[in-house]
Amino acid sequence: MPDWVRPFASHSSLRHVSVPSTVEQPEESRNEVAERERVVRENKALLVSLLNSGDRNEYDRIWQLWNQGGQPSELQPRVLEYLSSSRDPIDLSRAKSVLDKIEVDRRTADVYCNGVISLLHAGQFSHAKQLLSEALARNQGLKPLGASIAFFLDTGKWKDVAEMWASWPSTDGPAYDHQALSPVASLSTLPQRLSSLLEFANQQPDSDEKTTLASLASCLLHVLFKSTTLMRSISMETILQLTQQSKRLEILEKEHYNNAITTLRSFEIRSTVVKSMIMYRNFRWHLKNVVPWSKILEDLLQTLEDLEIPH
């Protein structure tokens, strides 16, 4: 029978061929691996150095080093924070890709805040709100919620800012004293934005949304009146306009005036002390039936008399 038609040999009849269990890696290949690892380490070190430098204009370089440095998981939050400070759509897209790599159980309040900020500035509002819901469900949501309120307030999106405020959970102490609202207090445009919010709320029919807007406006008025930075530069005309709008919305209260007068008096200069006295007069005008603070007018007059108040 020709060899080519011989039946296929059984497994037992096959000659056993010894195959080494491991194949020794060529010396050149091991060197290549070592070189790649060295390059990764160097790029990671450069990435850390750049992140520590405080330079906020190296977004492309950060992204390059991040990828060439092996995308180290321990640096994910820092790279996300860096990229989220950009307003370039490319950098914001990169920030989203870094966020997606961070496991949910490793997402801190700062991670959520930077993620939400990058999504908001990228115009991805629905994704930002989904991420915020995740943060709130994990009790990490106050910081990103405060940042979201500041964003929607500064961009004049009143219905969105009302939605954010409606999500504010119960906290110890008044909300206006909470650190999470520091982005709001940092808005140089807060007096103007608050005035626009009050105008919008006053035009709305009675509804749950109007009630939410009124609650938010009351909180923001406290934030403004307690801010030494904003109260130092705000005009008296703007203050009186805000109190008038707040009176129409029926949110004006004694504590608003207390915060405003206390802040104005703290500057100890003639112009702001005069403003504090005008605020007291405004308080007596708008809240006629509210009992004033004990001796507050005497204290204001005594301040003018006793202190050497520079012009």
Side-chain angles (χ1 to χ4, degrees):
M1 179 183 298
D3 289 344
W4 60 271
V5 294
R6 186 181 303 135
F8 188 81
S10 67
H11 177 75
S12 61
S13 66
L14 292 176
R15 182 163 56 91
H16 176 72
V17 178
S18 177
V19 179
S21 59
T22 59
V23 178
E24 185 176 352
Q25 192 177 41
E27 186 69 25
E28 182 181 2
S29 179
R30 288 203 299 271
N31 289 340
E32 289 175 351
V33 171
E35 176 63 16
R36 284 197 300 271
E37 291 176 347
R38 183 190 66 79
V39 171
V40 167
R41 287 195 301 272
E42 287 187 356
N43 283 312
K44 179 180 176 181
L46 290 171
L47 174 62
V48 171
S49 178
L50 187 52
L51 288 170
N52 290 338
S53 70
D55 189 339
R56 286 290 172 172
N57 296 308
E58 295 289 346
Y59 298 105
D60 288 339
R61 182 63 173 153
I62 286 287
W63 183 248
Q64 180 186 36
L65 292 173
W66 158 252
N67 286 287
Q68 294 177 350
Q71 299 185 354
S73 60
E74 68 273 20
L75 294 180
Q76 288 170 342
R78 296 190 63 189
V79 173
L80 170 62
E81 187 273 334
Y82 192 103
L83 294 173
S84 68
S85 66
S86 174
R87 295 299 171 260
D88 188 302
I90 294 177
D91 296 324
L92 296 175
S93 177
R94 291 168 173 173
K96 175 65 165 58
S97 70
V98 176
L99 172 67
D100 290 341
K101 294 179 184 298
I102 303 178
E103 297 175 358
V104 172
D105 59 2
R106 292 181 54 242
R107 293 178 177 178
T108 63
D110 285 333
V111 166
Y112 281 117
C113 188
N114 291 320
V116 167
I117 287 173
S118 63
L119 290 169
L120 288 174
H121 284 287
Q124 299 183 36
F125 296 163
S126 60
H127 289 164
K129 291 175 181 179
Q130 289 172 7
L131 184 62
L132 181 58
S133 295
E134 178 186 298
L136 289 167
R138 298 188 62 242
N139 296 319
Q140 301 288 337
L142 275 176
K143 187 170 185 176
L145 185 56
S148 301
I149 290 172
F151 174 86
F152 287 124
L153 181 65
D154 197 34
T155 53
K157 293 178 169 47
W158 309 130
K159 291 185 178 294
D160 288 307
V161 80
E163 180 183 352
M164 295 297 99
W165 183 244
S167 301
W168 187 272
S170 298
T171 57
D172 295 332
Y176 56 80
D177 279 337
H178 203 286
Q179 182 64 26
L181 286 181
S182 59
V184 174
S186 298
L187 290 175
S188 61
T189 58
L190 180 58
Q192 294 75 29
R193 298 304 184 192
L194 177 54
S195 179
S196 297
L197 174 63
L198 285 164
E199 181 180 359
F200 176 80
N202 275 315
Q203 293 173 351
Q204 303 308 302
D206 291 341
S207 64
D208 290 341
E209 183 179 80
K210 181 174 184 176
T211 301
T212 300
L213 288 170
S215 171
L216 172 61
S218 177
C219 177
L220 296 179
L221 196 61
H222 282 299
V223 171
L224 171 60
F225 284 168
K226 295 192 72 173
S227 169
T228 55
T229 300
L230 294 173
M231 290 296 282
R232 188 182 298 274
S233 59
I234 193 171
S235 69
M236 198 66 230
E237 180 182 2
T238 299
I239 294 177
L240 296 178
Q241 179 182 3
L242 290 171
T243 59
Q244 180 65 35
Q245 291 174 306
S246 298
K247 175 66 174 178
R248 284 180 54 207
L249 196 57
E250 299 181 350
I251 63 170
L252 200 56
E253 57 189 31
K254 181 178 177 178
E255 192 61 22
H256 286 131
Y257 285 98
N258 181 45
N259 289 331
I261 293 173
T262 300
T263 302
L264 289 168
R265 289 185 63 206
S266 69
F267 301 132
E268 297 186 355
I269 57 177
R270 184 178 302 277
S271 60
T272 54
V273 171
V274 170
K275 284 182 181 179
S276 67
M277 297 184 69
I278 295 174
M279 281 297 294
Y280 178 80
R281 181 180 179 182
N282 188 261
F283 159 67
R284 299 300 293 145
W285 174 261
H286 283 307
L287 302 180
K288 297 181 178 66
N289 298 323
V290 177
V291 178
W293 304 269
S294 175
K295 297 175 61 178
I296 190 169
L297 183 56
E298 293 179 17
D299 290 341
L300 289 170
L301 293 172
Q302 193 67 44
T303 300
L304 284 172
E305 190 173 307
D306 293 346
L307 292 177
E308 294 182 3
I309 304 173
H311 291 280

